[in-house]
Amino acid sequence: MNQKVLIIGGGLTGLFHAYAENKKGNFVTIWEKSNQLGGLVSTKKVNEGLVELAANGILFTKNLKILLDDINLIPLSPNRESKRRLIWDGKKCQSIIFFALVLVFKFRSIFIRKISSKPGQNLYFFFEEYFGEWVTKFILEPAIGGIYGATLSDLSPKIVFSNWDFSGKKSIFQNIRISLKSKKGTISFQNGMGELVEKLEEHLKNKIHIEYNKSINHIDQIPKESGKIFFCIPLEEIKRILSPWLPLDIRPTTHSVTTITRFSKDRTTEKKAFGILFPRNTNISAFGMLQNSDIFAYRSNNNLNSETWIFPHVKKKPESEWLRFMEDDRKTIYPNSKEAENSYIKIWENTFPVYNNHLYDFNLFLDQFEKDHSQKNFSIMFNGNYRRGIGLSAILDRALS
């Protein structure tokens, strides 16, 4: 029997749910608070090339392949050179392979020792327990912290690795093998990640109902006859809506990130690479730098080099100051750095969840809330980048599960 489905939020998460529910034959309505769909994920076309305003790629999974086939969108595989990853050691860029060899000496910790996580333990102390201080600081801190835009001490192992078994039955290697089983690397699209949004919108436009400039402040505003309700809105909005039920000791937080996409005639790295990770105890302000034109084709025009610098955002600063930080970092790595052709700044204020133990507890609260408010013909579900780990492919998998 076909059901009524109401999706709150028309970002990529909402579009994933709309696709999944429409495919089941359900009657889908989206409430979107702005006048356009897509949310955070979009691509800006400029004279110099493409500027990704959020994610620059998505993990290629079985579910994503099915979706792309349905919407007639061809994936763009990364360039071969992008397999090279670099870490800044304070003086020069080292291949991550060099650092990976160090992990070989941690054979027992990776392949044999079964893992568990102590209550309230953060990711820094978890890694330190299994790998030691040096590996944690100089390999895992930049690798994981760069992805999440946070220090390891701000992260929880149970939310970052939400699909791992911490019961003392599996090793790190066994957990990694299970996690990567259905993933086949990162892909994007010729016109950037915004093309995924555009194609999904085109695929759904005559199949679902969309109401723009519509938002809610309380769950009671949702018609009970809506059937299935999917909340696909940012964490801060979810907290506001659930405030009457949310315990005072469960307060997940968000943080801000600034990204700068820089186009120039020269390049920061001598050889082509995916990018550079920066440990926190070095002389660099950024968390990481992506070599966009090395990763995917069609990212720059006129043979320009495109790179995106990612900065943790502690407090508000003028754009000129962010640009100065980037240029200082670049000159530290590459003293002969030339003037940029152009740079594009995007500041995300309180947008990204902090993946700490408060967020883990918040997810447990959401699990129970969904269970308590689901009846035979009415159910509520929450999905987004705050829901057990990061990544668009994980959001898609949850929408289709």
Side-chain angles (χ1 to χ4, degrees):
M1 179 178 166
N2 296 340
Q3 287 183 283
K4 287 185 177 180
V5 175
L6 176 61
I7 298 169
I8 313 296
L12 192 53
T13 302
L15 290 174
F16 281 160
H17 276 282
Y19 162 80
E21 296 302 319
N22 173 257
K23 196 167 184 177
K24 294 174 187 175
N26 291 329
F27 304 108
V28 178
T29 296
I30 291 180
W31 286 0
E32 167 53 39
K33 69 175 183 178
S34 71
N35 58 3
Q36 64 180 25
L37 302 176
L40 299 182
V41 178
S42 61
T43 306
K44 184 178 180 179
K45 294 182 180 179
V46 297
N47 292 334
E48 296 81 10
L50 299 181
V51 176
E52 296 288 11
L53 298 181
N56 76 326
I58 181 171
L59 283 173
F60 195 46
T61 62
K62 182 179 178 181
N63 281 333
L64 181 60
K65 183 182 185 307
I66 294 170
L67 181 148
L68 297 181
D69 287 344
D70 285 347
I71 65 176
N72 296 313
L73 181 56
I74 300 171
L76 178 67
S77 298
N79 297 323
R80 188 173 181 179
E81 296 87 351
S82 68
K83 290 182 179 179
R84 184 182 293 112
R85 263 74 164 175
L86 302 173
I87 292 181
W88 176 251
D89 68 1
K91 295 180 180 179
K92 61 182 183 296
C93 290
Q94 296 268 20
S95 171
I96 203 168
I97 295 174
F98 167 80
F99 290 91
L101 290 174
V102 177
L103 291 175
V104 173
F105 295 99
K106 300 291 181 179
F107 181 88
R108 184 179 180 278
S109 294
I110 297 173
F111 294 95
I112 299 174
R113 187 178 175 186
K114 309 304 181 186
I115 63 168
S116 60
S117 177
K118 299 179 178 66
Q121 187 178 41
N122 65 45
L123 198 53
Y124 185 91
F125 289 120
F126 172 79
F127 279 147
E128 190 179 44
E129 179 183 343
Y130 287 88
F131 296 108
E133 185 180 12
W134 193 91
V135 170
T136 300
K137 271 188 178 181
F138 293 97
I139 300 178
L140 299 173
E141 178 85 76
I144 306 297
I147 294 171
Y148 285 84
T151 61
L152 293 185
S153 58
D154 289 330
L155 301 174
S156 163
K158 287 188 176 181
I159 194 74
V160 171
F161 304 113
S162 58
N163 58 347
W164 281 22
D165 183 350
F166 289 94
S167 65
K169 297 178 181 178
K170 287 185 173 62
S171 66
I172 289 175
F173 175 75
Q174 288 172 314
N175 278 298
I176 290 174
R177 186 175 64 178
I178 293 169
S179 298
L180 297 179
K181 196 171 183 180
S182 62
K183 299 178 177 67
K184 299 179 180 178
T186 302
I187 57 98
S188 186
F189 310 97
Q190 183 170 332
N191 294 307
M193 288 296 293
E195 189 172 8
L196 175 59
V197 174
E198 292 167 5
K199 285 287 187 178
L200 265 173
E201 187 175 356
E202 182 182 328
H203 175 77
L204 294 168
K205 65 181 180 182
N206 295 321
K207 301 175 182 178
I208 66 172
H209 178 64
I210 303 171
E211 295 184 31
Y212 293 100
N213 302 307
K214 180 129 186 181
S215 60
I216 70 165
N217 295 309
H218 196 279
I219 285 180
D220 289 344
Q221 291 178 252
I222 299 173
K224 289 295 181 183
E225 65 273 15
S226 297
K228 294 166 73 174
I229 314 296
F230 295 99
F231 281 91
C232 304
I233 52 181
L235 175 59
E236 290 299 321
E237 293 183 38
I238 290 292
K239 286 166 56 181
R240 176 173 49 79
I241 291 170
L242 294 181
S243 59
W245 297 274
L246 194 61
L248 292 175
D249 60 338
I250 300 179
R251 284 293 182 265
T253 55
T254 54
H255 68 115
S256 306
V257 171
T258 295
T259 63
I260 307 174
T261 299
R262 184 187 196 273
F263 293 93
S264 62
K265 293 179 180 178
D266 63 342
R267 50 184 300 115
T268 304
T269 59
E270 183 179 347
K271 295 181 180 179
K272 291 187 176 182
F274 188 91
I276 310 172
L277 295 168
F278 304 113
R280 287 299 80 214
N281 54 345
T282 60
N283 48 353
I284 300 294
S285 300
F287 265 30
M289 184 271 282
L290 298 172
Q291 284 280 17
N292 303 315
S293 45
D294 289 353
I295 302 172
F296 294 113
Y298 311 108
R299 289 310 180 259
S300 62
N301 300 326
N302 303 318
N303 294 317
L304 291 175
N305 178 68
S306 169
E307 53 195 41
T308 295
W309 294 76
I310 304 162
F311 292 89
H313 185 153
V314 179
K315 59 182 180 179
K316 288 185 177 182
K317 294 181 177 67
E319 290 192 358
S320 58
E321 195 166 346
W322 288 117
L323 288 170
R324 182 175 60 80
F325 283 163
M326 178 192 65
E327 294 299 340
D328 287 348
D329 282 355
R330 198 173 196 266
K331 285 177 182 176
T332 300
I333 300 165
Y334 179 51
N336 296 322
S337 177
K338 296 178 182 178
E339 187 177 343
E341 295 292 308
N342 217 334
S343 295
Y344 298 89
I345 301 177
K346 181 64 181 178
I347 298 174
W348 297 103
E349 294 280 0
N350 297 318
T351 302
F352 299 98
V354 178
Y355 293 85
N356 55 18
N357 287 304
H358 292 293
L359 188 64
Y360 177 74
D361 291 340
F362 182 66
N363 273 269
L364 296 180
F365 166 80
L366 291 180
D367 292 341
Q368 189 61 46
F369 191 92
E370 290 175 348
K371 184 177 179 180
D372 293 344
H373 290 77
S374 293
Q375 303 163 11
K376 184 176 180 181
N377 297 312
F378 180 82
S379 63
I380 290 177
M381 178 180 173
F382 301 89
N383 199 0
N385 62 0
Y386 55 89
R387 203 72 169 106
R388 291 202 165 83
I390 200 169
L392 294 174
S393 62
I395 292 173
L396 174 61
D397 289 344
R398 286 195 293 271
L400 290 167
S401 64

